[in-house]
Amino acid sequence: MKTIVFLLCLFCLMLPAAATADAGIHGVRMWNAPDHTRLVFDVSKQVQHRLFSLQDPHRLVIDFEKSKLKTKLKADQFKNRHISTLRYASQPDGKLRIVLDLEQAVRPRSFLLRPSGQYGHRLVIDLYDRKGSAAAVQKVKKNKNPRGARDVVIAIDAGHGGEDPGALGSALKAKEKVITLAIARKLKKLIDAEPGMRAVLTRTGDYYVGLRKRMKIARRQHADFFVSIHADAFRNKKAKGASVFVLSNRGASSEAARWLAAKENAADLVGGVSLDGKDNVLASVLLDLAQTGTLAASMRAARTVHKEMGRIGTLHGNKVQNAGFMVLKSPDIPSMLVETGFISNPSEERKLVSASYQRKVARAVFRGIREYFHSEPPLGTRLAMQKQQKEQKKQKLSAARYVIRRGDTLSTIASRHKVSINALRSENRITSDRILVGQVLRIPST
């Protein structure tokens, strides 16, 4: 009994020491995005921290309360357009101070992340330009031809990125973020090579982009369509096949409610119309009309892609599926999400890491998108102009036929169509003046 009491007392004495133990910083990772630099500190537990900036020269100081660095940091590993070098030292009061010597003034932002997946506690620090730089600002490419028609713009979204690796392969430990970016780049090449079409990427490298920000990038680039590339995972390693998703009605309803409630959306365009200044009923009607058209267009395009994906491999489901994925929620941009296969299935993982199979996937998605936009080109685009020209040519060809009626003669037919009798005879290989009622003549072009 005395032994038990002694152990309980000892345990109680140890609790405060454990609770107040210093936080350990086990590593730092850096990700370079077009508009910011992200530093991710792996910490043993939630840690109190403080940021402050210094000038002449520009520096950012990060103080970690009661923390110790458990690894060595190489200063040259953190050099980029925001950071020139990194220094650190322990303080007498138990703090750990990390100083970033900066290339320019920045707007810092920090937040803590709880353990998730393969990661433990993390402190994230984002460094944004204080003034927009040429590297950070993505300009919208006008890309008009001399006649004023524009290209169809496809926004390609490579899923995950940076600190978010996505699903991990079961055999080769392949990362979804790497596969999706590789396919997205191949798809962009195909689209850019197609006359009348061009593509933009929501991320161009290994960095994280927020889900709503991906939608904003597409809107800023005036995208006509948004396609998100992913690789699926499931606990059953036998699950296989590609899938294509569009937004569910429930997802559309929840997004509509958010748009109508959020003041930040008041001046946004939905279907080319601003909701700013509209009363709730009218705004709701306009939004509903935009969403209805967008969802219908999304489904038609997704069906063509689903068909093409079925030609290169197994499909997980025999039709396009509906889901509430965040990246599909743009009310005014038709969108779809393509699950290219199951990275959790060893055989599909091996295919997904293969450059040749990635090209097959990119071609299948491209063929589906091309088929849809050649069939339904947006007004004002080169594809719409080309379709109109083809239809006019077809009409002209169909009009260049004449069915002989009672009382017709070659001379009256030639006169009516303003061609010579000899040209009419030559076009139809007629050697005499004899013609028959119901006979079809080809009218030569003038």
Side-chain angles (χ1 to χ4, degrees):
M1 185 67 182
K2 288 181 180 180
T3 303
I4 294 174
V5 172
F6 173 76
L7 290 173
L8 285 172
C9 291
L10 183 61
F11 179 70
C12 291
L13 288 170
M14 290 173 63
L15 280 177
T20 59
D22 289 346
I25 299 175
H26 297 279
V28 187
R29 295 182 301 284
M30 184 176 75
W31 311 96
N32 294 308
D35 62 341
H36 71 282
T37 294
R38 169 165 289 188
L39 294 172
V40 181
F41 293 83
D42 290 311
V43 294
S44 58
K45 63 179 183 178
Q46 285 194 339
V47 62
Q48 295 293 323
H49 69 284
R50 176 172 171 251
L51 300 180
F52 60 93
S53 299
L54 298 173
Q55 295 181 342
D56 299 323
H58 293 298
R59 287 153 289 160
L60 180 69
V61 180
I62 312 162
D63 279 342
F64 294 86
E65 297 288 341
K66 296 180 180 178
S67 301
K68 290 183 178 178
L69 191 61
K70 301 292 186 180
T71 185
K72 278 191 173 184
L73 301 180
K74 295 181 179 179
D76 57 353
Q77 290 181 341
F78 299 93
K79 185 175 177 61
N80 71 352
R81 68 187 183 88
H82 287 124
I83 304 169
S84 61
T85 188
L86 176 148
R87 298 177 281 123
Y88 56 91
S90 297
Q91 304 296 301
D93 57 0
K95 291 179 183 176
L96 173 67
R97 171 164 291 182
I98 293 180
V99 180
L100 303 178
D101 294 315
L102 302 173
E103 297 283 359
Q104 57 179 295
V106 298
R107 288 184 296 108
R109 185 174 71 105
S110 67
F111 56 93
L112 289 163
L113 292 175
R114 294 183 179 277
S116 175
Q118 62 179 317
Y119 297 113
H121 291 282
R122 286 153 290 161
L123 170 66
V124 179
I125 296 177
D126 289 331
L127 309 178
Y128 290 91
D129 293 340
R130 191 168 288 279
K131 293 181 181 179
S133 69
V137 177
Q138 294 184 24
K139 294 183 178 180
V140 178
K141 188 179 177 184
K142 297 294 183 182
N143 206 1
K144 289 187 176 182
N145 69 5
R147 299 187 183 184
R150 65 175 181 85
D151 290 339
V152 169
V153 180
I154 310 297
I156 307 171
D157 175 50
H160 308 281
E163 187 67 6
D164 174 17
L168 296 175
S170 59
L172 305 175
K173 304 303 177 186
K175 295 178 180 177
E176 182 180 2
K177 67 174 184 177
V178 176
I179 292 169
T180 59
L181 184 58
I183 294 173
R185 285 171 170 165
K186 290 174 174 62
L187 177 57
K188 184 181 189 304
K189 274 189 177 181
L190 292 169
I191 291 173
D192 288 343
E194 179 72 10
M197 298 179 73
R198 70 179 180 90
V200 294
L201 296 174
T202 60
R203 71 177 177 96
T204 57
D206 187 14
Y207 53 87
Y208 181 74
V209 179
L211 299 180
R212 287 197 180 276
K213 187 173 180 181
R214 295 167 190 252
M215 297 156 57
K216 287 181 179 177
I217 291 171
R219 186 171 289 109
R220 189 168 65 232
Q221 295 284 340
H222 305 299
D224 297 287
F225 198 83
F226 180 96
V227 54
S228 191
I229 307 295
H230 287 258
D232 219 336
F234 193 61
R235 61 180 178 274
N236 183 354
K237 293 182 181 180
K238 292 183 179 179
K240 63 180 181 178
S243 308
V244 181
F245 291 85
V246 296
L247 186 62
S248 64
N249 288 327
R250 180 179 293 181
S253 298
S254 66
E255 188 66 8
R258 180 186 178 277
W259 269 68
L260 294 171
K263 292 181 180 178
E264 68 191 64
N265 294 318
D268 279 357
L269 295 177
V270 179
V273 179
S274 173
L275 298 182
D276 196 16
K278 307 293 190 296
D279 63 50
N280 289 341
V281 175
L282 179 55
S284 178
V285 170
L286 291 172
L287 186 57
D288 183 60
L289 287 171
Q291 281 190 314
T292 300
T294 298
L295 290 175
S298 300
M299 179 58 78
R300 291 194 296 274
R303 283 175 180 150
T304 64
V305 171
H306 187 266
K307 177 185 69 178
E308 293 295 337
M309 290 296 291
R311 291 176 177 173
I312 66 166
T314 305
L315 289 172
H316 189 74
N318 57 7
K319 63 180 182 179
V320 175
Q321 300 177 55
N322 299 89
F325 294 116
M326 177 63 69
V327 290
L328 299 179
K329 289 188 175 183
S330 287
D332 50 349
I333 304 177
S335 308
M336 69 177 162
L337 185 146
V338 180
E339 294 282 6
T340 55
F342 280 83
I343 197 173
S344 52
N345 181 307
S347 63
E348 290 210 335
E349 180 190 10
R350 282 191 289 272
K351 288 198 299 183
L352 288 169
V353 299
S354 159
S356 61
Y357 187 73
Q358 290 170 0
R359 281 192 289 271
K360 284 184 180 180
V361 172
R363 278 197 294 268
V365 176
F366 165 68
R367 284 194 296 263
I369 291 174
R370 181 180 59 183
E371 179 183 335
Y372 169 75
F373 277 105
H374 276 277
S375 173
E376 300 185 38
L379 291 174
T381 62
R382 292 170 62 188
L383 293 184
M385 185 178 68
Q386 291 167 7
K387 184 180 181 183
Q388 184 182 25
Q389 290 172 345
K390 286 180 181 178
E391 289 176 349
Q392 289 173 346
K393 188 175 181 181
K394 191 180 293 183
Q395 288 174 359
K396 189 175 181 180
L397 287 172
S398 62
R401 301 283 191 277
Y402 181 78
V403 180
I404 296 173
R405 294 173 292 186
R406 190 176 298 279
D408 282 337
T409 64
L410 283 179
S411 61
T412 58
I413 295 170
S415 176
R416 187 178 301 138
H417 291 90
K418 298 180 180 180
V419 296
S420 68
I421 294 179
N422 288 335
L424 191 62
R425 282 176 173 162
S426 175
E427 182 72 23
N428 293 276
R429 297 180 181 178
I430 296 174
T431 56
S432 69
D433 290 334
R434 185 168 179 264
I435 55 176
L436 301 173
V437 173
Q439 184 180 349
V440 179
L441 296 181
R442 291 193 303 272
I443 307 300
S445 58
T446 56

